[in-house]
Amino acid sequence: MKNLFIVLSCAAAVTACKSNKKEKSDVTGWNYNDKNMGGYQVSREKEQRTGPGLVFVQGGTFTMGATEEDVMGDWNNIPTRKTVNSFYIDRTEVANIHYREYLYWVNTVFDGDEYKAVREGALPDTLVWRSELAYNEPLVEYYFRHPSYNYYPVVGVTWRQAHDFCLWRSDRVNEKALYDKGFINKTALKNLQGQGAESFNTKAYLLGLTTPTPGNQVRSKKNPLKNPNGTPRTQVTFEDGILLPNYRLPTEAEWEYAAMGLVGQNPNPSKKEGKRGEELITNKQVFAWTNNVNGLRDSRRGAWQGTFLANFKRGNGDNMGVAGGLNDRAVYTAPVTSFFPNSFGLYNMSGNVSEWTGDVYRPLSPTDNDDVSPYRGNHFQNVYKNKDGEFEKDSLGHVKTVYVTDEESKNRRNYQKGNVINYLDGDSIVAGVGYGEMDMDKNKAAGRGYGMTTLISDKSRVIKGGSWNDRPYWLSPGTRRFLEEDQGLSTVGFRCAMDRLGSPEGNGRKTGISYPTRRQNTRKR
């Protein structure tokens, strides 16, 4: 026992020595996190954690666009090779209960008369269920509110409302992260009533415009964050690795890539560091499910044989099958965890409800967009500073921003306009003005009537995935449609996404090909 005690003591001493060893700079030799060497702090957080509700999607290259005959004759999804960076996306569609949680927060925090428009502007449009020749009034009254529909996808939400939900979710998740680490006092989360513009906002917090009361434990020696003099630090920075990037709507390319789940077609994917996978896709998919690549029904023997794998419309008047054998168990929407998830673990990427993406719609976006991380919809912004050089918040507590002007962009090599939504879409040829520029008055004077002969505008956003009331053609992730961003439908919902920071292979993986270290000559010089 005495010898064992000595061994354990030695092991503990060695461990303590290793833990006290300071990490130091490769370029200067100075220690990090050392008050005696300048006190420069480097985060102990090494990987991005996965936010609530999200699933990691490892990026890669894929053929974006049509996977079957273009029966609609739109030819707006020309197959093109694209690369998508790794990212995170919601495991399910956002459900009624999630959106009601958001409304509860909005109604609690912005409860004054001056915020009436804010509260009403967040409400989904339940009248999307109405039809002139159908009895849908029960859905108008109860679909969004009754607990029986808690985990059914929220519908009647505009693109703008979905975008605002993502911003709210970002702040709530980051606020809880600070609370869990003790950087926000417990009482701050209890007193939501009437906070208004003083409510937590991530960017405002990082810029010092919001200073919540810190918890007691962050003032102790256990706090890993230190000031240059070695005292505990109560203000978190983004460099500390505690706060997450914003939730947002997925881009069209991200959504389509995630829906395909082509990792399931790889015969030998890499599952751990040091094991190299194949660069191979064995089958070309049509729908989001991967067990039966080409068919609408499951072809495997057993209990699933012959069953449908999504919630969609079979044909005229057939939305759920025959009594005693309902094929998808849903006449309208189905719970967000219905059916089998795809190879990335995502539910209902085909069917149930179509989903908003971040992109502005153009028919030729597949060929116009960049090969890497394709996206149309950029209107660049800067954080606003007043005449004293100070940042400011708006009436809702968000940091004020201003759009980038053409004047400050004209000398750049990578872009020359602040608003590039219309870049390469042909408007400059029609309007006779500079690229990306629309002058309605000039067009009217010239008799061109621009904007009067097309349903497409800068408010047209891409929707993907097909819905409970769509035929199988629209269930293919390669198909695309559009809807104005200020409109909602009973067939359109959404899910959120988040940027992936760091290794594209995921946590615990290295970036780039890693080879064993070669033995070098260690002779002192």
Side-chain angles (χ1 to χ4, degrees), residues 10 70 128 194 199 207 255 328 399 496:
C10 292
D70 183 24
V128 294
S199 60
L207 292 176
W255 193 99
D328 63 17
V399 176
C496 305

Side-chain angles (χ1 to χ4, degrees), residues 101-110 168 172 192 199:
E101 180 185 358
Y102 165 56
L103 292 183
Y104 169 81
W105 184 90
V106 170
N107 289 326
T108 302
V109 172
F110 299 103
W168 164 81
R172 295 300 287 166
L192 296 176
S199 60

Side-chain angles (χ1 to χ4, degrees), residues 257-440:
Y257 178 84
M260 282 298 190
L262 293 175
V263 66
Q265 298 297 336
N266 191 320
N268 185 30
S270 172
K271 296 181 179 179
K272 63 180 181 179
E273 182 63 51
K275 178 177 173 57
R276 182 175 177 181
E278 298 285 350
E279 290 191 65
L280 180 64
I281 294 176
T282 54
N283 291 295
K284 185 175 180 64
Q285 266 179 241
V286 176
F287 302 108
W289 50 86
T290 58
N291 293 317
N292 182 20
V293 179
N294 298 311
L296 285 170
R297 295 178 182 268
D298 191 8
S299 59
R300 295 176 299 170
R301 294 180 180 273
W304 282 16
Q305 187 172 10
T307 60
F308 286 115
L309 299 175
N311 178 17
F312 63 100
K313 188 171 185 174
R314 311 295 178 265
N316 288 341
D318 183 6
N319 276 62
M320 65 175 177
V322 178
L326 303 183
N327 48 42
D328 63 17
R329 299 185 180 183
V331 63
Y332 301 105
T333 60
V336 294
T337 53
S338 299
F339 306 101
F340 200 74
N342 74 359
S343 297
F344 282 126
L346 308 177
Y347 287 87
N348 291 301
M349 295 299 280
S350 288
N352 213 24
V353 288
S354 299
E355 298 178 17
W356 288 112
T357 69
D359 287 60
V360 169
Y361 177 84
R362 291 292 187 273
L364 294 181
S365 285
T367 55
D368 290 340
N369 289 354
D370 286 358
D371 289 346
V372 180
S373 300
Y375 170 73
R376 180 182 287 278
N378 285 312
H379 193 175
F380 304 121
Q381 292 180 308
N382 289 329
V383 178
Y384 169 79
K385 289 184 179 180
N386 60 25
K387 61 181 180 180
D388 297 322
E390 300 171 335
F391 302 111
E392 292 184 358
K393 294 193 297 183
D394 62 20
S395 60
L396 301 182
H398 300 149
V399 176
K400 288 184 178 180
T401 58
V402 292
Y403 286 113
V404 173
T405 65
D406 294 348
E407 180 63 26
E408 58 188 311
S409 306
K410 66 181 183 180
N411 293 324
R412 297 200 59 87
R413 295 181 66 91
N414 51 331
Y415 65 95
Q416 289 82 44
K417 295 279 185 179
N419 181 357
V420 290
I421 289 175
N422 294 321
Y423 182 57
L424 292 183
D425 70 352
D427 284 351
S428 58
I429 299 173
V430 174
V433 294
Y435 87 73
E437 188 175 345
M438 291 195 303
D439 192 324
M440 301 297 287

Side-chain angles (χ1 to χ4, degrees), residues 128-130 143 155-156 333 352-353 467-469 488-493:
V128 294
W129 286 108
R130 276 190 176 160
Y143 178 82
V155 297
T333 60
N352 213 24
V353 288
S467 75
W468 58 268
N469 206 32
L489 294 175
S490 63
T491 55
V492 177

Side-chain angles (χ1 to χ4, degrees), residues 31-45:
N31 290 342
Y32 296 147
N33 306 322
D34 188 345
K35 66 179 180 180
N36 298 318
M37 284 197 172
Y40 176 61
Q41 296 291 305
V42 174
S43 171
R44 291 180 172 84
E45 303 278 350

Side-chain angles (χ1 to χ4, degrees), residues 478-491:
T479 58
R480 55 200 302 261
R481 289 178 288 185
F482 64 92
L483 183 67
E484 295 301 287
E485 65 180 36
D486 54 2
Q487 296 179 3
L489 294 175
S490 63
T491 55

